[in-house]
Amino acid sequence: MHIADIIREDSPTFSFEFFPPKTPAAAETLYQTIRDLESYMPHFVSVTYGAGGSTRDLTHHLVERIQHTTKLDPIPHVTCVCHSEKEIEDILVRYAKSAIGNILALGGDRPHDIPYDKSRDSFQHAIDLVKFIRRFNESGAHPDPRGFGVGVAGFPEGHPATPNRLIEMDHFKAKVDAGADYIVTQLFFDNRDFFDFRERCALADIHVPIIAGIMPVTSMSGFRRIAELAGGARFPAKLLRALRRCENDPESVRRVGVHFALEQCHDLLDNNVAGIHFYTLNRSDATRVIFDSLGIPRRRNAQAPTV
């Protein structure tokens, strides 16, 4: 089922993101995380996609394993970086055969460990990828007559590559109009950024569901890594002050981060958010604490896995 349909039927949605493991030990940790979170019956889980070939294969395998051996509904990321049209078509055919219902179409991060020339990519921007997936949908190769549901990324704090916010929204509207069914935002720590982004989308006549991306701070090292993601993130003084008070106590840092994310989620729910997407970093503990504290009844209508 398309995510936009699910949101219309069961809003707000709750979902989790994983990244593919790079070692057997990491794989075991990840699958334990997936099992831990499966009992919460999220509306979907997304799986990230790196620039390197081996990581991409791990994404494909993980998506298919989730689809066929769990009750979870996986949404794979697909990016423009280092891809030809034929490669993207092959990926879409593979996912269609596995009855994957949705794709998250992204520009993708520039690879740092391999030589890279963006001009050689067949898809220069996410809008080109969205259009290609729409053309694939029209081919009838997907078991759903509508083809894949298509999601795109939103940037509540602004897209790092487009400082001009008016031009940025023009680009974003064009990307959505090209065929996006839903939006998943980058992480943010000030809900005012999200609410302002949602309002600017409405003013631009963008009316597809907007799912808020939340990443709780669980360590000071993770906090510093978050600051480097997607061109940086804005940290409210309230969060910085709380973290500074306990930065030498890892457990207190985790509690502060979880509490702050929980307050964000309560505020989002009070303001009719379409969905909340938790960036789990392949760990279940912080996400489970937040989910339990929100008092959300667990869903019971999930489909049994097909094996």
Side-chain angles (χ1 to χ4, degrees):
M1 179 180 281
H2 285 190
I3 292 305
D5 296 337
I6 294 173
I7 293 173
R8 279 191 290 269
E9 292 180 7
D10 196 19
S11 181
T13 61
F14 298 91
S15 51
F16 308 130
E17 179 169 293
F18 305 115
F19 58 86
K22 295 181 179 180
T23 67
E28 290 307 311
T29 299
L30 173 58
Y31 283 106
Q32 183 57 52
T33 296
I34 290 173
R35 294 302 182 188
D36 289 345
L37 293 176
E38 185 177 7
S39 64
Y40 288 83
M41 293 316 305
H43 293 82
F44 66 90
V45 297
S46 70
V47 182
T48 65
Y49 191 64
S54 60
T55 303
R56 290 175 166 179
D57 288 339
L58 287 169
T59 293
H60 303 324
H61 294 316
L62 177 58
V63 168
E64 290 170 331
R65 185 170 182 183
I66 292 172
Q67 174 76 347
H68 297 304
T69 66
T70 77
K71 297 178 181 179
L72 302 174
D73 184 7
I75 298 184
H77 293 200
V78 177
T79 69
C80 299
V81 175
C82 299
H83 264 316
S84 67
E85 289 192 1
K86 178 63 166 59
E87 289 169 337
I88 292 295
E89 182 178 16
D90 289 345
I91 292 169
L92 296 179
V93 168
R94 177 174 180 173
Y95 285 149
K97 288 180 178 178
S98 289
I100 302 298
N102 298 271
I103 295 284
L104 195 57
L106 307 170
D109 296 327
R110 182 185 184 92
H112 298 294
D113 53 349
I114 59 174
Y116 175 61
D117 180 0
K118 181 177 175 59
S119 66
R120 300 183 65 178
D121 292 343
S122 293
F123 307 93
Q124 289 295 299
H125 303 284
I127 186 175
D128 305 316
L129 189 54
V130 172
K131 291 177 178 178
F132 186 83
I133 297 171
R134 282 299 176 199
R135 290 197 297 272
F136 178 87
N137 286 349
E138 293 169 2
S139 72
H142 196 283
D144 186 325
R146 299 172 299 172
F148 292 104
V150 181
V152 295
F155 298 84
E157 296 181 355
H159 195 291
T162 315
N164 185 318
R165 294 295 170 246
L166 296 178
I167 294 176
E168 176 203 25
M169 188 52 68
D170 289 341
H171 290 334
F172 187 67
K173 177 172 172 53
K175 179 171 69 171
V176 173
D177 288 349
D181 300 300
Y182 62 98
I183 298 161
V184 181
T185 76
Q186 286 277 14
L187 62 92
F188 57 91
F189 292 94
D190 190 331
N191 284 4
R192 291 176 297 182
D193 287 323
F194 175 81
F195 297 139
D196 181 73
F197 172 71
R198 189 171 64 176
E199 188 172 354
R200 284 185 289 120
C201 284
L203 290 170
D205 202 27
I206 296 171
H207 300 295
V208 300
I210 304 174
I211 298 171
I214 295 295
M215 180 185 286
V217 173
T218 56
S219 68
M220 291 307 296
S221 60
F223 170 69
R224 295 184 181 97
R225 283 196 300 273
I226 291 170
E228 298 176 358
L229 293 175
R234 284 200 287 270
F235 298 100
K238 178 182 178 181
L239 175 60
L240 293 174
R241 190 163 48 244
L243 289 172
R244 183 171 296 178
R245 283 196 296 262
C246 63
E247 59 184 329
N248 295 319
D249 181 348
E251 179 56 26
S252 293
V253 167
R254 190 191 71 84
R255 285 199 299 267
V256 164
V258 168
H259 177 73
F260 190 89
L262 179 60
E263 288 189 326
Q264 279 190 273
C265 292
H266 278 301
D267 186 41
L268 290 167
L269 293 171
D270 287 344
N271 285 278
N272 301 313
V273 70
I276 298 176
H277 188 60
F278 294 99
Y279 295 107
T280 68
L281 297 179
N282 285 14
R283 297 180 61 85
S284 65
D285 46 359
T287 304
R288 285 189 290 110
V289 170
I290 294 169
F291 206 93
D292 287 337
S293 299
L294 289 173
I296 301 162
R298 301 197 187 189
R299 297 167 61 233
R300 299 180 182 277
N301 60 343
Q303 296 294 318
T306 55
V307 180

